[in-house]
Amino acid sequence: MSGIFSFSGDDEFFTSMHLSSPGSCPGVYLPARKRLRVSADAPSFYSGFEKKQTSIQVLPDECLFEILRRLPSSGQERMACACVSKHWLNVLSSISKNESVQDVESEGFLSRSLEGKKATDLRLAAISVGTSGRGGLGKLQIRGSGFESKVTDAGLGAIARGCSSLKVLSLWNLPAVSDVGVSEIARSCPMLEKLDLSRCPGITDKGLVAIAENCKNLSDLTIDSCSGVGNEGLRAVARGCVNLRSISIRSCPRIGDQGVSFLLAQAGSYLTKVKLQMVNVTGLSLAVLGHYGAGVTDLVLHGLQGVNEKGFWVMGNAKGMKKLKSLSVTSCRGMTDVGLEAVGNGCPDLKHVSLNKCLLVSGKGLVSLAKSASSLESLKLEECHRINQFGFLGFLMNCGAKLKSFSLANCLGIQDFNSEAPLPSTSCSSLRSLSIRCCPGFGDATLSFLGKFCHQLQDIELCGLNGVTDAGVFELLQSNNVGLVKVNLSGCINVSDNTVSAISMCHGRTLESLNLDGCKNITDASLVAVSKNCYSVNDLDISNTMVSDHGVKALASSPNHLNLQVLSVGGCSAITDKSKSCIQKLGRTLLGLNIQRCGRISSSTVDALLEHLWRCDILY
């Protein structure tokens, strides 16, 4: 063997060599003593070796696959290799759990969310590799950007191979995702419990069949605007997913009575939540639900144009929904007084009812509901224009002793009571929360009547009621004997400082929230009254009022040392830079401050507040 390979690096051998130029002895190794100063164009002494070096990139994918699948399970080495190149990342993400030589423990502790342009196959591959050694991915939400979305079946495949611990998956607006990707998820993620498929037209019954056959732990399924999913997919879910507890179907044109009725008949005994929105079903599906929905506790029906009055009547009179506690019906022309009465009679445990845009429900139906649903705790009515003041009053007079909340919004049939109307002999002593919003006919006479009828109110919301004045509010407050906690008078333009003064004097020790947004007659006198009489108020909204710097000063110098957490003065043009020190004083406890559209507060004051109130969320 040549002596060069046994050379130890002594000085004698080095000095004996004649170095006329760096490239004169390309076959001899010379240990460098000093870096040579040569021009950039000069050939390197090691150039011969560099040209012969080979890269690992020339390895076939099969060899690279065998190397990478032997990486330790700690995750650090896998992530380091994934950073080498996109090619390595793709190879790593293609390695499934059962193909890895090292055991990768994953319990599904991690959660990831991708939205818009950030949602790509490459990022999904990185998530697959990066989470495998850090507890495992448990929840993944992908919100695409429609036809510009860059998430395909390849990205879902990477998640499926690397995230077998996945339990919650949400796919939204991903047109490039098809049954192929969903099927891979189904086969590789048997622990899946919650699946949300929204606006994924490429997913059909085949994808749902794969989910039903492999994901036996599935408990929550949402299908929204998936035009490829039909009745066969629902039937497969009904047969295979015996742990299903919640089903939500919305705007799927290929789903009809065949699929929905089969699902409800098969799974109605253990389903607890059912939501049907804008689905092509008829009264048949509701009849099946009424007979077999023994386990249903929450029911939402929205936009079911094919369901008539008979469908709701049969659903109630079947008396199979003994556990139903919450019912929400929106834009269903089949919901009438007859159907509402039947539901009240057939569901003895009904506690919460919400009716929105049910144009055929009148006061008669409300009275029937009050008489039949003895367990009712809350009723919410919105845009039910056939309901008048007599139905409204009749419901309150006949409701059970458990009613706690009543809400009325945008009901144009409500008119003010006759001031000479006789008072009922009984009171609604259980009612704690009353909300009347944007009902033009509601006025002082009705408010006075409620004050004499409802003595235990704690939360009052009277919004956008031009017919309400100080006199009506006084009557409501006069007979209250428990103390108001929350008062919302936003948009009541005829309410003045006298109302705020009365509220603060009568309920100052219990009042926690006061909203006067848009009450044009509110001035600094209201804030002076609040500062003197209120001890517990923590949320105060005086936006778009006549309040000025003097009112803010009164709050800051309150003898009760107010612990305000949220203060809104947006649109108060009379508040200026002079209030800076007072706001900073109040800021010791503030978590939220709204000073939007306060034109006389300068940018320098805003900057000072941002710096001083660093723990407060400021809108400016």
Side-chain angles (χ1 to χ4, degrees):
M1 181 181 291
S2 172
I4 243 179
F5 292 98
S6 59
F7 169 65
S8 61
D10 56 278
D11 290 340
E12 291 184 33
F13 181 80
F14 180 76
T15 54
S16 66
M17 297 294 297
H18 175 68
L19 298 178
S20 57
S21 66
S24 60
C25 301
V28 179
Y29 174 81
L30 298 179
R33 279 289 192 88
K34 184 177 181 181
R35 178 176 295 178
L36 298 178
R37 297 182 179 272
V38 294
S39 64
D41 296 329
S44 170
F45 178 76
Y46 305 101
S47 60
F49 293 101
E50 291 175 355
K51 291 179 181 179
K52 294 180 181 180
Q53 287 180 348
T54 58
S55 171
I56 196 172
Q57 298 288 1
V58 303
L59 282 176
D61 286 351
E62 294 79 3
C63 296
L64 189 59
F65 178 89
E66 291 296 327
I67 295 173
L68 295 180
R69 79 188 186 100
R70 287 168 168 78
L71 289 174
S73 59
S74 62
Q76 184 175 359
E77 292 83 358
R78 291 170 58 85
M79 286 184 287
C81 291
C83 294
V84 172
S85 67
K86 292 181 180 180
H87 179 61
W88 280 39
L89 174 59
N90 289 329
V91 174
L92 272 170
S93 64
S94 69
I95 303 173
S96 62
K97 183 178 180 181
N98 57 0
E99 292 174 330
S100 177
V101 174
Q102 302 287 343
D103 291 332
V104 180
E105 296 182 1
S106 56
E107 298 295 333
F109 297 127
L110 302 180
S111 176
R112 295 291 183 268
S113 178
L114 297 178
E115 296 187 17
K117 295 181 179 180
K118 294 182 179 180
T120 63
D121 287 344
L122 187 62
R123 285 182 179 268
L124 289 177
I127 289 175
S128 173
V129 174
T131 60
S132 60
R134 295 191 173 187
L137 184 66
K139 181 179 179 180
L140 176 62
Q141 180 182 11
I142 309 173
R143 298 177 64 89
S145 52
F147 291 104
E148 297 180 357
S149 178
K150 296 181 180 180
V151 173
T152 67
D153 293 329
L156 285 190
I159 293 295
R161 289 184 291 271
C163 307
S164 60
S165 60
L166 191 65
K167 296 179 181 179
V168 179
L169 176 63
S170 178
L171 306 178
W172 191 85
N173 206 8
L174 303 174
V177 170
S178 70
D179 295 329
V180 176
V182 174
S183 298
E184 284 199 65
I185 291 288
R187 289 190 295 268
S188 302
C189 305
M191 298 173 63
L192 193 66
E193 297 177 359
K194 183 176 180 179
L195 177 62
D196 183 351
L197 304 176
S198 300
R199 298 188 183 183
C200 297
I203 298 176
T204 69
D205 289 336
K206 293 181 180 179
L208 275 190
V209 170
I211 292 292
E213 291 177 349
N214 296 277
C215 302
K216 301 301 181 181
N217 292 330
L218 189 69
S219 60
D220 192 320
L221 175 62
T222 297
I223 310 171
D224 185 352
S225 304
C226 294
S227 56
V229 176
N231 295 323
E232 186 57 38
L234 283 190
R235 284 195 287 264
V237 169
R239 288 188 292 262
C241 301
V242 295
N243 290 310
L244 193 64
R245 296 295 178 267
S246 175
I247 180 70
S248 176
I249 306 171
R250 182 179 186 273
S251 299
C252 296
R254 296 185 64 239
I255 292 180
D257 280 327
Q258 293 182 2
V260 173
S261 60
F262 186 89
L263 174 67
L264 295 176
Q266 190 81 12
S269 61
Y270 49 82
L271 273 175
T272 59
K273 296 182 180 180
V274 176
K275 183 182 291 186
L276 302 176
Q277 298 176 279
M278 292 176 281
V279 185
N280 298 325
V281 297
T282 67
L284 174 63
S285 294
L286 293 196
V288 172
L289 178 61
H291 280 90
Y292 298 100
V296 177
T297 60
D298 297 83
L299 177 61
V300 177
L301 306 174
H302 182 187
L304 304 184
Q305 300 302 318
V307 179
N308 55 20
E309 181 183 73
K310 185 178 180 180
F312 283 96
W313 183 85
V314 174
M315 183 181 74
N317 283 321
K319 298 186 178 180
M321 303 174 67
K322 301 294 186 181
K323 296 182 179 180
L324 186 66
K325 290 181 172 59
S326 175
L327 173 65
S328 176
V329 182
T330 303
S331 300
C332 293
R333 59 186 181 183
M335 173 54 82
T336 63
D337 293 340
V338 174
L340 189 59
E341 181 180 5
V343 170
N345 286 323
C347 306
D349 203 24
L350 190 61
K351 299 182 184 299
H352 309 285
V353 174
S354 174
L355 303 178
N356 189 350
K357 298 181 181 178
C358 295
L359 304 181
L360 298 181
V361 173
S362 68
K364 181 181 178 181
L366 289 188
V367 173
S368 299
L369 177 66
K371 292 179 178 180
S372 58
S374 58
S375 299
L376 195 64
E377 295 181 2
S378 70
L379 176 63
K380 180 179 179 181
L381 304 171
E382 186 169 357
E383 294 190 41
C384 298
H385 302 308
R386 291 192 64 188
I387 296 174
N388 56 24
Q389 63 274 17
F390 301 107
F392 163 56
L393 174 61
F395 172 81
L396 292 179
M397 292 176 61
N398 291 278
C399 66
K402 297 182 179 180
L403 185 69
K404 298 178 181 178
S405 174
F406 183 85
S407 176
L408 201 64
N410 296 295
C411 293
L412 304 183
I414 300 292
Q415 300 297 324
D416 211 11
F417 280 124
N418 185 347
S419 58
E420 298 179 357
L423 290 174
S425 58
T426 59
S427 64
C428 187
S429 58
S430 62
L431 191 65
R432 296 292 183 270
S433 175
L434 175 66
S435 175
I436 311 293
R437 295 182 291 114
C438 301
C439 295
F442 196 92
D444 286 342
T446 307
L447 205 56
S448 175
F449 189 91
L450 290 174
K452 298 173 182 178
F453 185 60
C454 306
H455 308 297
Q456 308 290 322
L457 289 175
Q458 293 180 320
D459 299 345
I460 297 178
E461 185 178 23
L462 306 173
C463 300
L465 304 180
N466 296 341
V468 171
T469 67
D470 294 336
V473 179
F474 289 157
E475 292 292 338
L476 184 64
L477 299 176
Q478 188 174 2
S479 58
N480 187 285
N481 51 29
V482 296
L484 294 175
V485 177
K486 296 180 180 180
V487 176
N488 185 350
L489 300 175
S490 60
C492 293
I493 58 176
N494 293 314
V495 170
S496 70
D497 294 328
N498 294 329
T499 292
V500 179
S501 178
I503 292 175
S504 64
M505 290 182 65
C506 298
H507 305 278
R509 293 188 177 275
T510 59
L511 189 66
E512 296 179 1
S513 175
L514 179 61
N515 189 338
L516 303 170
D517 183 9
C519 298
K520 303 296 184 180
N521 295 323
I522 298 298
T523 67
D524 293 332
S526 292
L527 296 192
V528 172
V530 169
S531 65
K532 289 182 178 180
N533 302 312
C534 295
Y535 297 84
S536 305
V537 64
N538 55 56
D539 188 341
L540 180 61
D541 190 343
I542 48 174
S543 303
N544 302 301
T545 62
M546 298 177 65
V547 170
S548 68
D549 295 330
H550 179 68
V552 177
K553 183 178 179 181
L555 289 177
S557 57
S558 170
N560 301 322
H561 304 289
L562 296 178
N563 291 318
L564 280 176
Q565 295 182 5
V566 179
L567 175 63
S568 298
V569 296
C572 295
S573 57
I575 295 180
T576 68
D577 290 341
K578 295 179 180 179
S579 294
K580 181 178 72 171
S581 59
C582 296
I583 294 177
Q584 289 177 340
K585 184 177 180 180
L586 291 170
R588 297 170 184 173
T589 58
L590 280 180
L591 300 177
L593 174 65
N594 179 8
I595 53 175
Q596 291 179 321
R597 303 182 310 282
C598 294
R600 299 178 66 182
I601 295 181
S602 65
S603 57
S604 59
T605 298
V606 173
D607 292 339
L609 292 176
L610 290 171
E611 181 179 358
H612 186 81
L613 308 180
W614 55 269
R615 64 191 294 268
C616 179
D617 185 12
I618 302 179
L619 298 178
Y620 58 93

